[in-house]
Amino acid sequence: MKEFITIVYNSTIRQAYSTVVAIINALIESGITTDNYLNSVNEEIKEDAEQFSEAINRDKSYAILNPIDEKRDNLLRILFMDTEIKTLYPDKEISDSALIVKEVLDRYGLKIISKRYREETADIDSLITDMESSEIKDAISKLGTLADIIDQIKIVANEWKAAVYKQADNKEELLSKPSATKLKNSILDTINKDLLIYIAGMAKCKPEEYTELNKRIRVIIEEHNSIARANLKKNKV
């Protein structure tokens, strides 16, 4: 039995969009029309794909903001992961301190990196403010490099605001509409966590209806993943 397959995220935006369109076409051409759940997920993916297409073709100012946004997203990932790991330390002082910080982080959740620019920026500012309280600062001081990570987040937060300020002509549009990068991650999440799991399950329950669709989507994803990994390998050389 073949292992379950999902779309890798480290592809280009245009490659991801091409794969999403191919999956939508596979769903349409499958002839499955009476599955309400599948229809609902398909509609969600199609709506997201339309926004995705618009974002790809939108003002090139995103090209200035995206690298900075990627930096702050990665730093937030490190902050959440490092804190989570330290909650497992056998040293009780470290684990207790990490739990104090984790309680603050849990108010926001790592989902903030998928929000629109304006909302993510507001959450980051609020998170930084929360980290400045005396109790939290005391806990952070016992967690090694965590303070350095937070300092880097502050620096990138200011870098972000400076970059946005320079986009005065279309600042409101940039802040109010999601970037192609955000939409890419969101739509791939929907496909991986909702669509693929469902179709794989239905291919076992009703193979006569879903096996061909499952196979076709698998081929699409294998091709996507192969290209993404080849590009990643090429960029490392």
Side-chain angles (χ1 to χ4, degrees), residues 10-118:
N10 57 350
S11 57
T12 65
I13 286 171
R14 293 190 180 277
Q15 183 199 346
Y17 178 72
S18 177
T19 298
V20 169
V21 170
I23 289 173
I24 290 171
N25 289 336
L27 290 169
I28 293 170
E29 294 165 12
S30 70
I32 301 172
T33 59
T34 58
D35 186 325
N36 291 333
Y37 180 78
L38 187 61
N39 289 340
S40 174
V41 174
N42 190 19
E43 283 303 312
E44 180 181 350
I45 293 171
K46 284 197 289 186
E47 288 175 11
D48 287 347
E50 287 180 12
Q51 291 188 58
F52 194 12
S53 177
E54 290 174 7
I56 290 170
N57 296 313
R58 202 173 289 144
D59 196 300
K60 290 183 180 179
S61 296
Y62 277 123
I64 297 170
L65 297 181
N66 279 341
I68 305 172
D69 182 53
E70 186 175 351
K71 270 199 292 186
R72 66 179 185 175
D73 286 354
N74 285 337
L75 283 168
L76 285 167
R77 289 186 181 98
I78 294 168
L79 175 62
F80 275 77
M81 291 170 62
D82 196 31
T83 303
E84 186 71 38
I85 289 168
K86 284 182 167 63
T87 65
L88 304 176
Y89 270 43
D91 185 321
K92 197 168 187 306
E93 184 179 41
I94 292 177
S95 60
D96 285 350
S97 297
L99 285 169
I100 291 171
V101 177
K102 184 178 183 299
E103 185 179 348
V104 176
L105 295 179
D106 285 347
R107 296 175 200 162
Y108 299 89
L110 193 52
K111 65 181 182 297
I112 66 175
I113 68 175
S114 298
K115 291 184 176 181
R116 297 185 178 193
Y117 283 155
R118 188 191 299 279

Side-chain angles (χ1 to χ4, degrees), residues 170-202:
N170 58 350
K171 183 170 71 174
E172 286 308 310
E173 182 182 34
L174 284 169
L175 293 177
S176 63
K177 294 185 178 181
S179 69
T181 301
K182 301 286 187 189
L183 287 167
K184 169 193 160 187
N185 292 339
S186 176
I187 199 169
L188 294 188
D189 273 345
T190 300
I191 291 172
N192 281 339
K193 297 175 183 177
D194 295 334
L195 180 68
L196 299 184
I197 292 172
Y198 180 74
I199 291 176
M202 292 304 290

Side-chain angles (χ1 to χ4, degrees), residues 87-228:
T87 65
L88 304 176
Y89 270 43
D91 185 321
K92 197 168 187 306
E93 184 179 41
I94 292 177
S95 60
D96 285 350
S97 297
L99 285 169
I100 291 171
V101 177
K102 184 178 183 299
E103 185 179 348
V104 176
L105 295 179
D106 285 347
R107 296 175 200 162
Y108 299 89
L110 193 52
K111 65 181 182 297
I112 66 175
I113 68 175
S114 298
K115 291 184 176 181
R116 297 185 178 193
Y117 283 155
R118 188 191 299 279
E119 295 164 344
E120 180 179 359
T121 301
D123 279 352
I124 290 173
D125 286 347
S126 180
L127 175 60
I128 290 172
T129 299
D130 288 347
M131 291 292 178
E132 291 295 325
S133 74
S134 57
E135 180 190 10
I136 306 304
K137 286 181 79 171
D138 182 59
I140 290 169
S141 69
K142 299 169 185 173
L143 296 174
T145 59
L146 208 67
D148 293 334
I149 297 168
I150 294 168
D151 285 342
Q152 288 182 57
I153 290 172
K154 291 176 184 177
I155 291 169
V156 175
N158 289 329
E159 184 183 351
W160 168 264
K161 289 171 186 173
V164 169
Y165 180 77
K166 290 179 181 178
Q167 311 303 313
D169 291 341
N170 58 350
K171 183 170 71 174
E172 286 308 310
E173 182 182 34
L174 284 169
L175 293 177
S176 63
K177 294 185 178 181
S179 69
T181 301
K182 301 286 187 189
L183 287 167
K184 169 193 160 187
N185 292 339
S186 176
I187 199 169
L188 294 188
D189 273 345
T190 300
I191 291 172
N192 281 339
K193 297 175 183 177
D194 295 334
L195 180 68
L196 299 184
I197 292 172
Y198 180 74
I199 291 176
M202 292 304 290
K204 293 179 180 178
C205 299
K206 297 183 178 181
E208 68 284 356
E209 290 184 51
Y210 290 86
T211 295
E212 286 307 311
L213 174 61
N214 191 44
K215 285 181 181 177
R216 181 173 173 182
I217 291 180
R218 186 182 183 92
V219 169
I220 292 168
I221 293 173
E222 285 175 342
E223 182 179 359
H224 170 99
N225 291 354
S226 176
I227 293 170

